[in-house]
Amino acid sequence: MPDHSLTLLWSLSVSIKDFGALLGSLGVKWLADSYGRRNSILIVNCLSVVGACLMFASKARKSFEVLIMGRLVFGLFCGLVMSLNPLYIQEVSPTNLRGAFATLNQVSFASGILVGMVAGLETVLGTEHDWAMMLSLSLILALAQYLVLPFCPESPRYLLINCGKESEAEAALLRLRGHTDTVFAELEEMKEEAAHTQTGVTVHEFFKKRSYRLPIIIVLIINLGSQLSGFNAIINYSTRMFQARFDEAKYLTLGVGAVNVTFTLVAFFLMERAGRRRLLLTGFISIAVCNVLMTIIDSVLHLVAELRSLQVLVVFCLISAYELGPGPISWFIAAELFDQPGRPIAMAFTSMLNWGGKFVLALLFPPLLKLCGAYVYLLFMTVALFAFIFTWFRLPETKGRTFDDIAEEFRGAEGIPLYKPGFNTFT
């Protein structure tokens, strides 16, 4: 097979997962509203099983078509579950720990990336003989979820607000909280939210509804700011970047994965202390600074080779800044900004933006790097800086606030005023 055909097949095999995830995002609302949050996760889990089996079978069949189909099916799973997971977690978590628990979804995501990096080493499973086993490792966790998740309660908010099943919602809350006083207070808060919201929202109504306009723009800016600020380019091309300057580049790439996991854990512990706004603002401005430094270092690296170690440090700093705020928060902020009827569509929108951003960047970064050279990082800097400015002026703090309290800030108005005492402050 000609080299250009092999390159095309490799590119298709890699990018088809993100494309599948983009398509999978379209089914989030229908599944979440029709079958519930927990049951939807169990349903889409079968896609993970099918995808893993197809990828494993592709080696025995010696068929790249089966491999690509397996990656596509697994991508559909990723697009659905990366919205359904934070949606379920947010709705079953207590208000004071909601953001921290939602961050655990990103911790798992980053841990999966690190495990994949380790499994891909030639000394582990990254060999001609074992690569199919490496691609089917997700089967273990998929089967484990089928054994564990059925014992978890359905979302009480879904049971009460969507289905009107107050007794079942109360039973689910009692299993989750264990204290009748807490259960009574949360039930009253849910009933109050139900009184303020309509029973359902179509996709057309979602984008036309007046009170949803600003939250939609916030979700758009934060998600595109996260995906197009350089993180995904670094993650996808870090090995190639390091190979040009270091003999053991693969181990530096493992360092990227380790830093990725470490700072998602840092975000977990800081989420309910620092709040969403502060972590997002710190993350975006730090990413912008790192991209400026990447431009400077990349521009003079051929003159001062000793700067290569500094470049590695800047890469690690950029990864840290991303996972400190924009990475985890971009996946769950939509669930906090919208009321119950709009929440599933908002999470589907989030998933489409995240996976669409990854897909576009995977396609555009190589030609942009060839065209702009080191100055490509200035494009990422511009995106991060714009996201920082918009977040500073428009994002309300959601830490420790009920869903209804947050929705009230947008309800019946064009948006939040540009200035409100105690609102647009860094503290």
Side-chain angles (χ1 to χ4, degrees), residues 78-341:
C78 290
L80 287 162
V81 83
M82 284 300 288
S83 285
L84 292 170
N85 277 354
L87 178 61
Y88 177 62
I89 293 169
Q90 288 262 305
E91 291 191 1
V92 300
S93 300
T95 300
N96 62 324
L97 294 173
R98 193 176 59 219
F101 283 163
T103 304
L104 288 176
N105 188 58
Q106 185 73 6
V107 172
S108 302
F109 190 43
S111 300
I113 293 174
L114 179 59
V115 170
M117 289 175 172
V118 173
L121 293 174
E122 292 180 3
T123 53
V124 187
L125 295 175
T127 63
E128 185 178 351
H129 182 263
D130 295 324
W131 64 266
M133 186 179 296
M134 177 186 69
L135 292 180
S136 58
L137 286 176
S138 60
L139 187 61
I140 299 171
L141 294 176
L143 294 176
Q145 189 169 70
Y146 274 127
L147 296 175
V148 176
L149 192 59
F151 296 99
C152 299
E154 179 55 88
S155 161
R157 308 190 80 84
Y158 171 77
L159 292 171
L160 180 65
I161 301 175
N162 292 71
C163 304
K165 300 177 179 178
E166 184 175 340
S167 59
E168 291 184 28
E170 185 176 351
L173 264 178
L174 197 57
R175 286 184 62 192
L176 289 165
R177 305 291 184 262
H179 302 290
T180 52
D181 292 342
T182 307
V183 169
F184 179 76
E186 285 198 46
L187 276 175
E188 289 303 309
E189 182 260 313
M190 289 182 204
K191 291 176 184 177
E192 188 176 343
E193 181 182 350
H196 291 150
T197 57
Q198 59 195 89
T199 53
V201 175
T202 66
V203 175
H204 181 260
E205 289 170 343
F206 177 82
F207 287 102
K208 292 284 288 183
K209 194 172 180 181
R210 189 178 174 189
S211 60
Y212 286 173
R213 290 176 188 172
L214 183 57
I216 287 172
I217 297 172
I218 290 173
V219 170
L220 178 71
I221 299 300
I222 289 177
N223 280 277
L224 290 184
S226 299
Q227 296 306 318
L228 304 179
S229 60
F231 170 80
N232 287 301
I234 295 295
I235 284 287
N236 293 336
Y237 295 94
S238 58
T239 300
R240 192 176 303 176
M241 182 190 303
F242 295 150
Q243 274 176 343
R245 302 175 179 98
F246 295 93
D247 295 331
E248 297 295 334
K250 56 189 176 183
Y251 296 110
L252 284 173
T253 304
L254 285 182
V256 168
V259 170
N260 199 24
V261 174
T262 300
F263 276 84
T264 52
L265 288 170
V266 172
F268 167 73
F269 288 108
L270 290 179
M271 194 61 65
E272 299 302 342
R273 296 182 181 182
R276 286 50 150 174
R277 270 176 56 80
R278 184 181 294 184
L279 291 179
L280 275 173
L281 290 168
T282 302
F284 280 132
I285 197 64
S286 299
I287 289 171
V289 171
C290 287
N291 276 305
V292 172
L293 293 175
M294 285 291 290
T295 302
I296 296 170
I297 293 170
D298 234 29
S299 300
V300 301
L301 199 57
H302 64 287
L303 299 175
V304 188
E306 290 76 12
L307 287 177
R308 62 181 188 170
S309 297
L310 182 59
Q311 185 186 45
V312 173
L313 180 61
V314 173
V315 167
F316 285 0
C317 288
L318 191 148
I319 300 297
S320 305
Y322 175 84
E323 292 296 5
L324 191 63
I329 294 172
S330 63
W331 281 105
F332 71 75
I333 192 66
E336 296 191 321
L337 295 178
F338 289 85
D339 56 19
Q340 190 74 10

Side-chain angles (χ1 to χ4, degrees), residues 35-50:
Y35 299 100
R37 287 30 170 168
R38 183 202 62 182
N39 292 339
S40 294
I41 296 172
L42 288 169
I43 291 169
V44 302
N45 204 36
C46 70
L47 293 174
S48 178
V49 175
V50 172

